[in-house]
């Protein structure tokens, strides 16, 4: 946002405030004002997504050439790394609400996301148990 | 036992994704919801067929079942590949991908025949190197690409869903890895884990589609 003095906030009946520039007569909606850190966070997001893609390609490459064990280790790493990325991304709305001093909303989102993570964690744990049991049965049968 | 349960549940989940996506309202004219839904129905049929053959229904041999399943997956892939193009170009892309798909199937029938086997109740496709590479490319260009395009369209239309992009991307990559591991894995553990990853990721994708539909309905 440009902190020029000739920009006057003009609150209308819309949801988002509108800023009218006195010099250029351009109307900018508050949603469209670029965040200072947007470019930086965008590039970090892109890099982490490319890393995830790279990891996926390594896993697939290993599987194509019959290196199943390496593929499975890569798959586990991919899952952990991807899950961490998703969790970090999920915290973004909480931080947004916190910086906007909307503490009630931040607390509510934290509560909902905490509950979602708790459920997901249990799902992962149960999934892990099932896979371990399956592998155990295979060992017994073979 | 595990193989049949896995295939039947995959068939149900793919059918569910097809049903949910057929009800999806996409304003972008480049995207065909019908092709997307039909592609999932064909994939669902192939999983159902493999599940039934593993269970011992009918007298279809494993090799023929794999060939028929592959054919249905190729038809699904052709539909999937064409679902992201505008009407004018879509027919040309459909023709091109159909010819390529047919060529792949002819090679699969005549030159490089499938040699599947069952180990620990798990169907191992035992795909040859060249077929594995071709299948990975097909899944990357048709299924993965289309899902990424759909995600972009959904998020573009719903600002509320902007923060879910990483989750959508991760789940699609997981489904990509799951599909590749399931089709080209040589050990039963790899095939089973990849298959679980594929089914789980499609379950989450189905939930995303349902959720985005809810959000866009609420926005209207």
């Amino acid at each position: 946002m440009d902190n020029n003095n000739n920009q006057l906030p003009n609150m209308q009946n819309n949801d988002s405030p509108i800023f009218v520039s006195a010099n250029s007569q351009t109307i900018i909606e508050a949603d469209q004002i670029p965040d200072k850190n947007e470019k930086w966070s965008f590039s970090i997001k892109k890099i982490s997504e490319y890393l995830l893609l790279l990891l996926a390609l390594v896993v697939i490459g290993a599987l194509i050439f019959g290196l199943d064990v390496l593929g499975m280790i890569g798959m586990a790493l991919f899952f952990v790394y991807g899950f961490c990325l998703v969790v970090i991304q999920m915290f973004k709305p909480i931080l947004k609400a916190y910086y906007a001093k909307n503490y009630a909303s931040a607390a509510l989102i934290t509560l909902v996301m905490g509950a979602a993570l708790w459920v997901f964690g249990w799902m992962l744990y149960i999934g892990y148990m099932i896979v371990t049991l399956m592998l155990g049965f295979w060992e017994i049968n073979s | 036992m595990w193989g049949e349960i896995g295939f039947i549940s995959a068939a149900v989940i793919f059918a569910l994704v097809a049903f949910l996506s057929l009800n999806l309202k996409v304003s972008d004219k480049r995207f065909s919801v019908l092709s997307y839904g039909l592609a999932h129905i064909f994939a669902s049929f192939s999983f159902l067929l493999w599940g039934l053959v593993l269970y011992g229904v009918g007298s279809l041999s494993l090799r023929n079942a794999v060939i028929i399943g592959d054919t249905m997956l190729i038809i699904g892939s052709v539909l999937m590949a064409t679902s992201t193009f505008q009407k004018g170009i879509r027919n040309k892309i459909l023709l091109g991908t159909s010819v390529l798909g047919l060529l792949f199937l002819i090679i699969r029938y005549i030159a490089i025949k499938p040699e599947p086997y069952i180990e620990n109740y798990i169907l191992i496709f035992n795909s040859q190197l060249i077929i594995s590479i071709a299948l990975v490319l097909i899944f990357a260009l048709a299924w993965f690409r289309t899902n990424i395009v759909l995600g972009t369209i959904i998020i573009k239309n719903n600002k509320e869903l902007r923060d879910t992009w990483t989750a959508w991307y991760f789940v699609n990559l997981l489904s990509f890895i799951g599909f590749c591991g399931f089709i080209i894995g040589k050990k039963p553990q790899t095939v089973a884990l990849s298959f679980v990853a594929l089914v789980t990721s499609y379950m989450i994708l189905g939930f995303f589609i349902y959720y985005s539909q809810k959000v866009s309905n609420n926005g209207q």
Side-chain angles (χ1 to χ4, degrees):
Chain A
M1 187 184 144
D2 189 6
N3 285 328
N4 224 334
N5 282 337
N6 54 19
Q7 277 204 335
L8 306 166
N10 177 18
M11 294 294 281
Q12 293 185 349
N13 287 334
N14 296 340
D15 289 340
S16 61
I18 289 175
F19 293 86
V20 183
S21 167
N23 289 340
S24 58
Q25 289 295 312
T26 25
I27 297 171
I28 310 158
E29 280 196 34
D31 286 355
Q32 292 170 347
I33 295 169
D35 184 359
K36 273 181 189 172
N37 296 323
E38 199 172 335
K39 201 178 174 185
W40 174 236
S41 66
F42 174 77
S43 62
I44 286 181
K45 198 178 158 191
K46 275 279 159 209
I47 290 166
S48 37
E49 280 177 9
Y50 282 132
L51 275 175
L52 200 65
L53 182 67
L54 190 71
L55 198 56
L57 291 176
V58 168
V59 173
I60 292 160
L63 290 172
I64 286 176
F65 292 104
L67 305 165
D68 280 35
V69 177
L70 185 70
M72 279 161 82
I73 294 168
M75 221 186 284
L77 280 175
F78 170 86
F79 193 77
V80 172
Y81 176 56
F83 184 65
C84 289
L85 274 185
V86 172
V87 169
I88 291 166
Q89 193 68 17
M90 277 166 74
F91 278 105
K92 223 172 140 186
I94 301 173
L95 290 175
K96 265 185 193 170
Y98 179 78
Y99 284 120
K101 292 188 176 174
N102 194 351
Y103 299 117
S105 177
L108 186 71
I109 304 170
T110 311
L111 204 71
V112 171
M113 284 190 175
L117 279 178
W118 190 76
V119 172
F120 193 72
W122 271 107
M123 273 170 64
L124 275 184
Y125 181 68
I126 292 164
Y128 169 77
M129 293 278 281
I130 292 168
V131 170
T132 318
L133 278 173
M134 275 168 70
L135 291 174
F137 276 123
W138 274 325
E139 288 300 319
I140 292 163
N141 287 331
S142 59
Chain B
M1 176 76 177
W2 290 108
E4 292 96 302
I5 292 173
F7 279 128
I8 304 284
S9 45
V12 171
I13 286 164
F14 269 73
L16 205 71
V17 171
F19 173 73
L20 287 170
S21 55
L22 282 171
N23 289 323
L24 193 67
K25 283 170 195 151
V26 179
S27 54
D28 199 316
K29 282 182 181 173
R30 283 173 301 171
F31 196 84
S32 164
V33 173
L34 184 67
S35 300
Y36 186 83
L38 281 175
H40 283 89
I41 288 173
F42 274 105
S44 169
F45 279 145
S46 64
F47 289 133
L48 187 69
L49 176 81
W50 290 330
L52 291 176
V53 167
L54 272 187
Y55 193 68
V57 177
S59 56
L60 199 65
S61 71
L62 210 56
R63 176 180 280 182
N64 287 340
V66 168
I67 287 176
I68 297 169
D70 274 359
T71 309
M72 284 195 271
L73 271 183
I74 291 294
I75 296 170
S77 303
V78 167
L79 286 167
M80 201 71 169
T82 50
S83 60
T84 51
F85 294 97
Q86 272 177 335
K87 266 188 180 174
I89 316 165
R90 197 177 292 156
N91 293 339
K92 287 172 193 165
I93 301 283
L94 183 69
L95 188 72
T97 46
S98 301
V99 169
L100 282 176
L102 202 65
L103 205 68
F104 173 80
L105 288 172
I106 289 168
I107 292 170
R108 194 91 169 114
Y109 292 148
I110 299 164
I112 314 167
K113 288 180 179 168
E115 290 160 2
Y117 60 91
I118 297 171
E119 195 182 327
N120 291 324
Y121 313 104
I122 302 290
L123 174 63
I124 312 286
F125 286 86
N126 194 23
S127 303
Q128 296 84 347
L129 185 67
I130 189 85
I131 294 293
S132 300
I133 293 170
L135 285 170
V136 167
L137 284 176
I138 288 169
F139 197 80
L141 295 173
W143 295 79
F144 178 66
R145 185 188 155 274
T146 306
N147 275 329
I148 290 294
V149 171
L150 178 66
T152 317
I153 293 169
I154 288 174
I155 287 163
K156 211 175 173 183
N157 291 343
N158 303 296
K159 280 184 180 175
E160 296 93 333
L161 295 170
R162 203 187 291 163
D163 290 328
T164 59
W165 166 253
T166 308
W168 177 274
Y169 180 73
F170 166 60
V171 168
N172 272 303
L173 266 181
L174 188 67
S175 75
F176 182 36
I177 291 181
F179 180 83
C180 296
F182 151 67
I183 291 283
I184 62 184
K186 299 281 188 285
K187 283 182 193 283
Q189 287 94 329
T190 320
V191 174
L193 284 178
S194 308
F195 195 71
V196 170
L198 175 71
V199 173
T200 315
S201 54
Y202 263 89
M203 227 158 71
I204 302 170
L205 281 182
F207 174 74
F208 263 118
I209 291 171
Y210 174 75
Y211 182 66
S212 63
Q213 207 178 333
K214 280 264 168 201
V215 169
S216 54
N217 283 349
N218 288 342
Q220 281 170 2

